[in-house]
């Protein structure tokens, strides 16, 4: 949330975060301003809690489950681009790499697969899929795990000479609906990233993909459980944080 200054490059300006939509930040900032305009609410709700609530509400508004959000977080006291390095999953990660990264935050492989289901919503940039559809390795240009029709669609949306920041849907089937179609897409070779498709390719994660692809209710339940666990990662309380007046600046 913190904006960079002349003296500090903040987390949001790390390359891994540059695809985050600006209107998402604006929504949290406006919600904070609306809360603090009410005398009884002023300086009582952190930006971290607002962001967590907003995440739940987006899921619910898009047709997904509604769940209770644990509250009481404080906002962090530092934000540096360097601190992001190695903390976020990459589009080229495989199940081993993803499992290891999530385990560092107390999250299981099942949590990782469930949270990957959030890719049922949102978008990515063409530059993140160029390697899968044009330059996969020394023997084949196209990743053989990608559905051939999906390859054609991706190449149509992301031709070689396109602006690499052009946006494409994470879910090519129901991009604005929170549902279990993400897992059905994986069964058909329509995972956008290697990190998506490998969930179906790897025999350890494939059974869970198949289960959730056929059972939306169970996926929703497991997604909620994993989101609650994710919401406990790195929580700041007491003197380890504060409640900002401005979500985009330390104050």
């Amino acid at each position: 949330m913190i904006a960079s200054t002349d003296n500090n490059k903040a987390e949001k300006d790390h390359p891994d975060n540059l695809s985050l939509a600006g209107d998402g930040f604006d929504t949290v900032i406006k919600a904070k301003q609306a809360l603090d305009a009410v005398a009884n609410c002023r300086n009582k709700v952190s930006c971290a809690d607002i962001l967590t609530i907003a995440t739940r509400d987006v899921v619910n508004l898009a047709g997904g489950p509604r769940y209770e959000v644990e509250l009481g977080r404080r906002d962090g006291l530092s934000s540096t681009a360097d601190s992001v390095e190695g903390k976020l999953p990459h589009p080229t990660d495989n199940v081993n790499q993803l499992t290891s990264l999530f385990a560092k935050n107390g999250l299981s492989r099942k949590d990782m697969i469930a949270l990957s289901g959030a890719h049922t919503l949102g978008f990515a940039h063409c530059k993140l899929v160029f390697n899968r559809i044009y330059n996969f390795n020394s023997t084949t240009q196209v990743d053989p795990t990608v559905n051939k029709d999906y390859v054609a669609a991706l190449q149509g949306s992301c031709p070689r000479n396109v602006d690499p920041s052009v946006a494409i849907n994470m879910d090519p089937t129901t991009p604005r609906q929170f549902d279990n179609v993400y897992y059905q897409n994986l069964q058909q070779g329509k995972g956008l990233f290697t990190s998506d498709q490998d969930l179906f390719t790897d025999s350890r994660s494939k059974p869970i993909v198949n289960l959730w692809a056929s059972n939306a209710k169970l996926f929703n339940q497991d997604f909620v459980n994993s989101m609650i666990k994710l919401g406990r990662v790195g929580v700041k309380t007491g003197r380890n944080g504060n409640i900002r007046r401005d979500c985009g600046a330390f104050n």
Side-chain angles (χ1 to χ4, degrees):
M1 293 297 303
I2 295 295
S4 294
T5 65
D6 291 341
N7 300 321
N8 178 57
K9 184 177 179 181
E11 290 178 46
K12 68 188 296 186
D13 286 323
H14 184 280
D16 287 353
N17 288 329
L18 293 180
S19 64
L20 297 175
D23 53 355
F25 293 110
D26 292 342
T27 298
V28 175
I29 289 170
K30 289 176 181 176
K32 174 65 172 173
Q33 291 170 343
L35 276 168
D36 282 359
V38 179
N40 290 341
C41 298
R42 190 169 300 140
N43 204 36
K44 291 183 179 179
V45 183
S46 68
C47 302
D49 273 350
I50 293 172
L51 183 60
T52 307
I53 295 168
T55 301
R56 184 273 312 275
D57 289 350
V58 166
V59 168
N60 185 235
L61 288 168
R66 182 176 177 82
Y67 52 95
E68 290 301 312
V69 173
E70 296 175 334
L71 302 174
R73 299 167 186 79
R74 289 190 165 235
D75 296 316
L77 302 176
S78 67
S79 177
T80 64
D82 288 345
S83 68
V84 177
E85 203 62 40
K87 302 286 180 62
L88 296 175
H90 287 157
T92 56
D93 284 351
N94 58 34
V95 167
N96 282 339
Q97 292 165 314
L98 293 168
T99 301
S100 176
L101 181 67
F102 278 69
K104 291 177 182 177
N105 292 300
L107 299 168
S108 67
R109 180 181 291 127
K110 183 179 179 181
D111 292 324
M112 177 272 289
I113 303 168
L115 294 170
S116 294
H119 285 179
T120 184
L121 298 174
F123 63 88
H125 293 151
C126 282
K127 65 180 179 181
L128 297 179
V129 297
F130 281 157
N131 70 305
R132 296 192 76 202
I133 59 176
Y134 293 121
N135 189 32
F136 185 61
N137 59 34
S138 59
T139 59
T140 179
Q141 287 187 327
V142 177
D143 182 343
T145 66
V146 186
N147 177 292
K148 288 182 173 57
D149 291 336
Y150 191 36
V151 170
L154 289 173
Q155 290 177 337
S157 299
C158 300
R160 289 180 184 273
N161 60 349
V162 77
D163 180 342
S165 65
V166 166
I168 47 175
N169 290 320
M170 293 294 303
D171 177 346
T173 309
T174 56
R176 291 171 180 80
Q177 183 77 17
F178 186 96
D179 52 30
N180 66 328
V181 173
Y182 167 81
Y183 299 103
Q184 296 171 15
N185 289 337
L186 300 186
Q187 292 175 319
Q188 300 169 45
K190 295 181 180 179
L192 184 63
F193 296 153
T194 298
S195 59
D196 295 312
Q197 195 58 49
D198 204 50
L199 300 180
F200 184 72
T201 305
D202 193 297
S203 61
R204 296 167 296 178
S205 47
K206 184 176 182 177
I208 297 178
V209 170
N210 287 335
L211 176 63
W212 289 336
S214 64
N215 193 325
K217 183 177 180 181
L218 184 59
F219 163 59
N220 284 345
Q221 292 171 347
D222 288 332
F223 179 81
V224 165
N225 291 336
S226 295
M227 281 296 291
I228 291 171
K229 288 177 66 176
L230 179 64
R232 297 170 180 165
V233 173
V235 169
K236 304 289 190 297
T237 58
R239 294 184 178 180
N240 291 323
N242 63 11
I243 296 178
R244 290 186 207 131
R245 292 189 296 274
D246 178 353
C247 290
F250 293 118
N251 47 51

